[in-house]
Amino acid sequence: MQPEHYFSEKSSFPVAVDEDDKATEFRPLSAARPHMLTFHLAWLNLFSCFFSTFSIPPLLPIIREDLKLTAAEIGAAGTASFAGSIFSRLLMGPTCDLVGPRIASGTLSLLTAPIILATSLASTPTSFIAVRFLVGFCLANFVSSQFWMSSMFSGNVVGLANGVVAGWANVGSGVTQLVMPVVYSLFISLFNLPSSTAWRLSFIIPAIFQATTGTLVLLYGQDLPSSNHNTKRGTNRKESVFVVVVRGLSNYRGWVLGLLYASSFGMELTMDNIIAEYFYDRFGVNVQTAGTIAACFGMANVFSRPMGGVMSDRMGKRFGMRGRLWGVWAVQTVAGLLCVLLGRVDSLWSSVLVMCCFSVFVQAASGLIFGVVPFVSKRSLGVIAGMTGSGGTIGAVVTQMLLFSSGNLSKQTSISVMGLFIIFCTLPVTLIYFSHSGGMFCGPISCEDSIQENYSLLE
C-alpha cells in the first residue's frame, strides 16, 4: 500500500509531499520554498486586492456628499464593482491553465493598481461608477489563488489551504474599513486639508500596496512545486485551451458550485459593500464607528473561512465526498437563517452580535464550497474555479441590483430577503454526485478506493 506522503526523491522539499510533489501538510507559519512561500504570496496579493476594492465603501458617506451621489447612483456603483469581476474571474481560470497563476495574478495586480489611484480623479457620478467597475477586475485574483493552492497542496489538505488563503485575504475587506477612515482623518488633521482633498489622497495607500504585492508575486512566485508553468506543462499544450474550457463548462457540478458560491461569497461581498453605510444610516453612528463595526464582518475571515476548509477536509476524511457536501448544506443554511434575523433585530448591539455570527457561518460556507472544487475536474481545474468564483460575484451583482439599488425596500428588509435567497439557493447541493465517491444521499457506483480521498477525475 502506497504511503500517504513521502519526501520526494527528485527534489528536497522542506515539507512532506505526494507523488506529484504536492504538499501533504500545511505549515502556515513557515515561508519555505516553494509551497509555503507560494501560500504567503497568494494570500497577501489577494489581501491587497480586497483592501483596494473595498477601500471605497467606508468613505462613501463623505464621497457621496462631495460628488452629490444619489442612492440609486451609489447602488449602481456597488453593482459595477462586482460586475467587473464577473468577466475577469471567468477569464482568470483559463488564463491560469494557459500561462500559470504567477503571471496571471501578478500582472492583474499591477494593471489594476493605477485604477484604484484614479478614484481620486472622480468628479462625476459616471466617472465614480466607471472606476468602481474597473477596480473590481482585481478580485479575479481570488480564482488564481485557489488554482495556485490546488496546484501546490495535496487532497488531504487542499481544503485547508484554499480556506486559509481566501480567509486571510478576505480580511483585507475588513482591515480597509478600519484603515481608510483613519487615513482620511490623518490627512485632515496633520495637513489641514479640506475633506474633498483628503478622501482623494487616501487612495494612494491601497494603490501602492497592491502594486507592491503584484511585484512580489512576479519576482518570487512559482507556479508548480518543481517548476514554473511553461516548463512542466508544455507537454500538455497539445490539448487546446478550447477543449479544456468546453470540458469545464459542460461539467454540471461547476454550475451548481457557482450557484452555491453566489449565495455565500456573493452575499458576503454585498455585505462588505453596504454594511458600513447601513449602520451609519440606521443607527446614527459616525464614520469611524461604522467602519469599525463593518471591519468586524470582514476580519472574521481570519478564522471562519479556514475553519470551513478544515471542516471540509475532516468531513471528507471521515465520510468522503458525502461529508463535504452535507457540511456545505448545513453551514450555509444556518448562515441564511442568521441573515434573516439580522434584518429583523432593531437594536445596535443586537445587530452587531447577529452580524458577527452571520459572518462566521457565511464565510465558513465559502471555505466548504472550495473544499469541493479541486475534486471536480483535474484537467479543467482553472475553468471550474473560475465558474465557481464568478458565481460569487454574479450573486453579489444580482443581490445589489434587486435589493439595494432601487430604494423600494428598506435595507433591513433587503437583508432579510437576502437570507431567504441563501437558504433557497443552497438546496441544489443535493444534485452534486460523483460516480466514484457518491453524493449526499447516494453512495458511489464503484467502491474502489472509496475510503481514501484520492480523487483523480478525468472529466
Side-chain angles (χ1 to χ4, degrees), residues 53-299:
T53 301
F54 294 101
S55 61
I56 297 174
L59 298 183
L60 262 180
I62 293 95
I63 297 173
R64 72 184 182 187
E65 295 298 324
D66 194 29
L67 299 184
K68 304 296 187 291
L69 300 174
T70 65
E73 288 165 343
I74 292 173
T79 302
S81 68
F82 300 140
S85 63
I86 292 175
F87 304 107
S88 59
R89 286 188 181 211
L90 281 171
L91 292 173
M92 179 58 80
T95 302
C96 287
D97 284 321
L98 183 63
V99 302
R102 178 182 67 92
I103 292 177
S105 59
T107 302
L108 181 62
S109 289
L110 290 179
L111 288 176
T112 52
I115 299 173
I116 189 64
L117 186 61
T119 307
S120 61
L121 304 177
S123 58
T124 65
T126 301
S127 60
F128 178 70
I129 293 171
V131 166
R132 293 222 65 186
F133 173 77
L134 294 172
V135 167
F137 276 68
C138 70
L139 290 182
N141 272 337
F142 169 79
V143 174
S144 63
S145 72
Q146 299 296 286
F147 184 100
W148 215 352
M149 294 304 96
S150 299
S151 300
M152 284 286 182
F153 293 91
S154 189
N156 66 311
V157 293
V158 70
L160 174 60
N162 277 336
V164 176
V165 78
W168 287 10
N170 279 328
V171 171
S173 64
V175 172
T176 195
Q177 302 273 2
L178 284 174
V179 171
M180 292 304 289
V182 173
V183 172
Y184 162 76
S185 298
L186 287 175
F187 273 120
I188 292 178
S189 60
L190 295 180
F191 301 102
N192 197 28
L193 296 174
S195 175
S196 61
T197 302
W199 74 258
R200 295 174 187 277
L201 292 177
S202 299
F203 291 101
I204 295 174
I205 304 300
I208 293 176
F209 183 26
Q210 186 174 310
T212 301
T213 59
T215 302
L216 290 174
V217 165
L218 292 174
L219 290 177
Y220 300 106
Q222 184 171 312
D223 291 309
L224 299 165
S226 301
S227 64
N228 274 320
H229 183 272
N230 59 354
T231 59
K232 184 169 183 177
R233 291 195 178 182
T235 57
N236 294 333
R237 294 285 180 85
K238 295 178 182 178
E239 186 171 44
S240 70
V241 175
F242 177 76
V243 173
V244 172
V245 171
V246 170
R247 182 181 291 118
L249 292 176
S250 62
N251 192 318
Y252 82 93
R253 301 174 191 89
W255 295 100
V256 175
L257 289 170
L259 179 60
L260 293 171
Y261 205 58
S263 51
S264 60
F265 187 65
M267 304 305 101
E268 181 185 347
L269 286 177
T270 301
M271 291 296 288
D272 284 332
N273 233 10
I274 61 99
I275 196 65
E277 191 180 15
Y278 170 69
F279 279 97
Y280 179 87
D281 290 334
R282 188 176 185 195
F283 298 105
V285 298
N286 59 35
V287 172
Q288 285 76 19
T289 302
T292 302
I293 294 172
C296 295
F297 183 86
M299 292 179 70

Side-chain angles (χ1 to χ4, degrees), residues 337-401:
L337 294 172
L338 288 168
C339 190
V340 172
L341 180 61
L342 177 59
R344 298 297 90 200
V345 293
D346 55 6
S347 68
L348 174 60
W349 292 111
S350 296
S351 293
V352 172
L353 176 61
V354 176
M355 180 203 71
C356 290
C357 293
F358 169 59
S359 69
V360 170
F361 278 87
V362 78
Q363 292 158 8
S366 295
L368 280 154
I369 291 168
F370 264 89
V372 177
V373 167
F375 304 111
V376 174
S377 175
K378 269 191 173 183
R379 295 175 182 171
S380 300
L381 173 61
V383 179
I384 298 297
M387 292 167 65
T388 307
S390 296
T393 49
I394 290 172
V397 168
V398 171
T399 306
Q400 189 84 34
M401 289 180 63

